[in-house]
Amino acid sequence: MTMQNLTALPYVAWVEPQDEHRIVLSTRLRLARNLSGRNFPHRLNDAEAEEICGKLAAALPQDGEFAGEDWQILRLDELLEREQGVLLEKHLLSRDILQHTQGRALAVNAAQTLALMFNEEDHLRMQAILPGLQPEAAWQRLSALDDRLSERLDFAFDDKLGFLTACPTNLGTGLRASVMLHLPALQITGRLEGIFAQLPQAGMTVRGVYGEGSQSEGNLFQISNRLTLGLTEEEIISRLRRLTEQLVAQEVQAEEWLRANRLLWLQDKIGRACGILSSAYLLSSAEAMQQISLVRLGLAMGLCDKIDWRELNLLMLAVQTPFLLTDSRENLSAAERDAARAKLCRQKMCGSAQADIL
Amino acid sequence: MLCDKCGKKSATVHIKQVINGKQTEQHLCADCAGGAVDVQMPSFGSLDLHKLFWGTPAADVRRPKICPGCGISWAEAAKGGRLGCARCYAAFADELRPQVAQMHGGKRHIGKVKMLNPTAQVLLQDSALANKNYERLALQKQLGELVDLEKFEEAAAVRDKIRSLEAELQQAVQQANAADQKAGDER
């Protein structure tokens, strides 16, 4: 894997089609760990932070199960803003770590399924990201990585409180297990809010696409566990699976309701969305995501065949501003971005030859 | 009793004030009381949401508690919502206990444990053994609860279960170690 692929190309493992219902985009599991005897990252100076980065990087496993990972280590202070943006869109990086980039780093494997942030809120935040609903597989990978790392690193641990973290909300397992869901039918039928209101009772919370406090875009939502202490990792994961399966069933139900009661209306909406994506010359990010969401629903319900499933996943990434900036290799004004985004959509929806004629 | 102020009429209004632990008493007649009562209402200041969330530790107003590991004070940690280092958990245990209980429901960690000894390696390779280890942890937690509730009979049963699981795990570890040694000898 080259650096180019990682910080420029709109490709990441979770775009591969996995979920038959086309509702679960990705599963993401994150573990928080800290080195014992060291201050947490926000109490480190840059030199100390650098030293910890070096220590963590040296501990990355290179053999056995992890022989072919080909870890790429990126220093965040050496990345361009658009490259940081690309990593953010791929969910390999969090916004928090970008507040102070000195002494911060990211390690990613060649497949882009494992990403380790050094000196985010905790010394080590490692995550496994897989397409579709695969929390068990993601946990197997992540737990194995954790085991290998803990052979070489002394993690801060307490018998009662489990793994110690900078913020007590992550204590215990340090595990945040989340899924990214596309729920347009529930949104259209107005049932989403009621469902989300019940999540806290199930020990889950809903977040926007880019994590805590962020907005939802294109009917994408991130569901994750609220509690990290007092449960086993397996329990957290199986709860996430059960809840996700319930949400998927409800979304499918809402799709069927729309098919039975509002078919023509829905076909019209989806048809118009295809029309906009294949013929517009200016598209804002929000509009593009909204129309892509409808096309996605069309694909899921078999009401649209204008674009391949995988291509649509790639398009969802590619229309994000950081990727547009990468393509142009120069700064774009807002209008130029909207034009570039619209061109990209026309190309994907019509095939590139036609798009140039249009 | 005559009025403290005019000294003529009898005092019918008795005012006792305690401000910052200092007590003052006034005995006034009805006329003097009308104008002279000076009741000071202390200001409560604006509400600090962080303090509401984290609770207000009363003790550290005069003597700030400092973590020996990183030098952060409890006030500073509570304000930022983040601790300074792993040792803060011991240094501020009293302050943190109610908060952690509120966040996580007062439970004990029963997930993965830090690898402290060679047993862990075997537990990793064999998922059945790993499950037994988790069960052991869960039972240990249950045991603590039962003892707290003084249900000693049930506690004894749980303790026996833990012992038998431990014996099983020990045996598995010994077997694995023996197998390793044998493999080493053959090489």
Side-chain angles (χ1 to χ4, degrees):
Chain A
M1 177 184 58
T2 63
M3 167 101 168
Q4 169 82 44
N5 281 341
L6 186 57
T7 58
L9 284 186
Y11 174 81
V12 65
W14 55 261
V15 300
E16 295 299 341
Q18 245 280 331
D19 170 31
E20 51 167 330
H21 297 294
R22 298 163 184 200
I23 293 167
V24 190
L25 272 83
S26 63
T27 304
R28 201 145 55 94
L29 264 52
R30 173 276 266 166
L31 278 181
R33 297 283 186 265
N34 285 287
L35 302 179
S36 56
R38 307 304 294 261
N39 286 2
F40 292 143
H42 70 111
R43 303 274 295 176
L44 292 174
N45 63 36
D46 289 349
E48 292 169 326
E50 289 283 350
E51 191 211 322
I52 287 182
C53 280
K55 226 178 146 160
L56 294 170
L60 288 172
Q62 313 274 5
D63 54 344
E65 191 186 336
F66 297 93
E69 299 299 358
D70 191 14
W71 298 103
Q72 179 109 14
I73 295 162
L74 308 176
R75 289 172 57 114
L76 294 195
D77 55 353
E78 286 175 356
L79 293 181
L80 299 172
E81 205 176 317
R82 65 171 158 77
E83 291 174 323
Q84 295 175 352
V86 163
L87 294 168
L88 212 57
E89 295 296 342
K90 291 183 174 188
H91 296 289
L92 299 175
L93 214 59
S94 74
R95 273 188 208 281
D96 278 355
I97 201 171
L98 293 175
Q99 284 170 2
H100 183 92
T101 52
Q102 272 86 46
R104 270 70 187 157
L106 173 75
V108 186
N109 67 342
Q112 301 185 41
T113 50
L114 294 170
L116 298 89
M117 280 185 276
F118 299 164
N119 291 327
E120 206 237 26
E121 189 178 276
D122 297 299
H123 292 141
L124 182 57
R125 288 270 177 109
M126 48 183 145
Q127 49 172 13
I129 317 170
L130 292 176
L133 180 60
Q134 303 191 65
E136 298 82 7
W139 172 243
Q140 189 270 320
R141 292 287 283 150
L142 194 58
S143 181
L145 178 60
D146 174 47
D147 293 339
R148 293 296 303 275
L149 287 169
S150 59
E151 286 169 13
R152 298 187 191 182
L153 301 168
D154 183 23
F155 291 140
F157 184 82
D158 176 272
D159 278 344
K160 270 195 187 131
L161 297 174
F163 289 95
L164 301 176
T165 50
C167 180
T169 49
N170 294 313
L171 276 175
T173 56
L175 175 65
R176 191 79 61 205
S178 66
V179 286
M180 178 99 79
L181 303 175
H182 182 238
L183 303 170
L186 286 171
Q187 174 82 294
I188 290 171
T189 53
R191 285 164 49 191
L192 211 47
E193 272 183 34
I195 289 171
F196 284 169
Q198 292 170 358
L199 287 181
Q201 285 169 5
M204 298 282 170
T205 81
V206 62
R207 296 188 166 99
V209 180
Y210 302 106
E212 219 166 326
S214 67
Q215 286 282 314
S216 162
E217 237 179 63
N219 297 318
L220 294 172
F221 302 93
Q222 198 173 289
I223 311 277
S224 60
N225 61 311
R226 213 159 45 82
L227 303 180
T228 54
L229 179 64
L231 298 135
T232 64
E233 291 84 356
E234 285 77 4
E235 266 178 274
I236 292 173
I237 287 159
S238 78
R239 281 186 189 192
L240 181 74
R241 169 174 283 282
R242 280 201 306 268
L243 184 85
T244 306
E245 282 169 351
Q246 278 175 25
L247 287 169
V248 166
Q250 300 213 34
E251 169 72 13
V252 170
Q253 216 175 44
E255 282 175 11
E256 288 317 309
W257 186 89
L258 286 170
R259 195 195 297 281
N261 298 287
R262 299 282 187 277
L263 185 58
L264 199 56
W265 176 86
L266 188 66
Q267 279 175 317
D268 179 65
K269 275 208 127 186
I270 293 165
R272 280 165 191 269
C274 288
I276 289 172
L277 290 177
S278 53
S279 16
Y281 276 75
L282 288 173
L283 275 175
S284 71
S285 164
E287 185 181 10
M289 285 307 280
Q290 191 50 41
Q291 306 306 343
I292 288 173
S293 170
L294 281 165
V295 172
R296 216 184 147 85
L297 177 63
L299 284 184
M301 293 179 67
L303 299 174
C304 169
D305 58 356
K306 293 276 192 296
I307 186 169
D308 167 67
W309 188 248
R310 186 169 178 274
E311 287 290 303
L312 189 73
N313 278 344
L314 289 170
L315 183 62
M316 268 175 54
L317 262 186
V319 296
Q320 304 299 333
T321 302
F323 294 104
L324 299 176
L325 295 178
T326 308
D327 274 351
S328 73
R329 307 237 160 265
E330 58 193 275
N331 278 331
L332 296 176
S333 69
E336 285 169 328
R337 274 181 215 171
D338 290 356
R341 187 177 290 120
K343 187 175 176 194
L344 198 68
C345 292
R346 291 201 306 278
Q347 285 171 346
K348 288 274 184 186
M349 295 296 286
C350 312
S352 41
Q354 265 179 309
D356 289 337
I357 305 164
L358 272 170
Chain B
M1 189 189 286
L2 286 177
C3 170
D4 287 350
K5 202 155 190 197
C6 60
K8 292 170 189 164
K9 295 175 196 160
S10 65
T12 51
V13 179
H14 307 281
I15 300 164
K16 199 182 266 186
Q17 273 189 326
V18 183
I19 293 170
N20 292 336
K22 212 171 144 190
Q23 185 174 316
T24 55
E25 274 183 59
Q26 274 185 298
H27 308 280
L28 302 169
C29 67
D31 287 348
C32 291
V37 183
D38 179 23
V39 181
Q40 285 177 339
M41 281 299 288
S43 149
F44 288 103
S46 58
L47 279 177
D48 186 339
L49 286 177
H50 253 295
K51 269 192 189 158
L52 275 182
F53 176 66
W54 286 91
T56 37
D60 66 7
V61 177
R62 269 170 232 136
R63 201 158 31 89
K65 226 176 189 181
I66 302 280
C67 167
C70 62
I72 201 172
S73 71
W74 169 246
E76 203 182 335
K79 201 167 158 234
R82 281 186 303 200
L83 297 166
C85 71
R87 283 175 71 185
C88 288
Y89 281 99
F92 307 131
D94 294 340
E95 289 85 352
L96 280 164
R97 197 171 299 116
Q99 288 165 20
V100 172
Q102 201 185 0
M103 276 175 207
H104 296 284
K107 297 205 178 93
R108 195 192 160 97
H109 177 64
I110 53 166
K112 265 182 99 157
V113 288
K114 187 178 159 181
M115 289 204 280
L116 294 168
N117 50 42
T119 56
Q121 202 52 46
V122 187
L123 296 180
L124 291 178
Q125 285 155 2
D126 189 333
S127 62
L129 281 179
N131 282 338
K132 273 180 191 153
N133 195 30
Y134 283 131
E135 198 185 330
R136 178 177 66 97
L137 284 163
L139 285 173
Q140 240 155 19
K141 174 179 159 272
Q142 203 186 342
L143 180 63
E145 283 169 5
L146 289 171
V147 172
D148 282 345
L149 294 170
E150 301 186 1
K151 293 184 180 172
F152 296 117
E153 224 166 295
E154 288 172 53
V158 171
R159 185 202 55 208
D160 292 345
K161 257 192 242 169
I162 293 173
R163 279 191 185 158
S164 86
L165 276 173
E166 268 170 351
E168 238 177 297
L169 288 166
Q170 280 291 334
Q171 202 184 350
V173 171
Q174 274 165 9
Q175 273 172 4
N177 286 347
D180 275 353
Q181 205 156 22
K182 201 176 164 197
D185 291 344
E186 278 168 14
R187 240 179 273 139

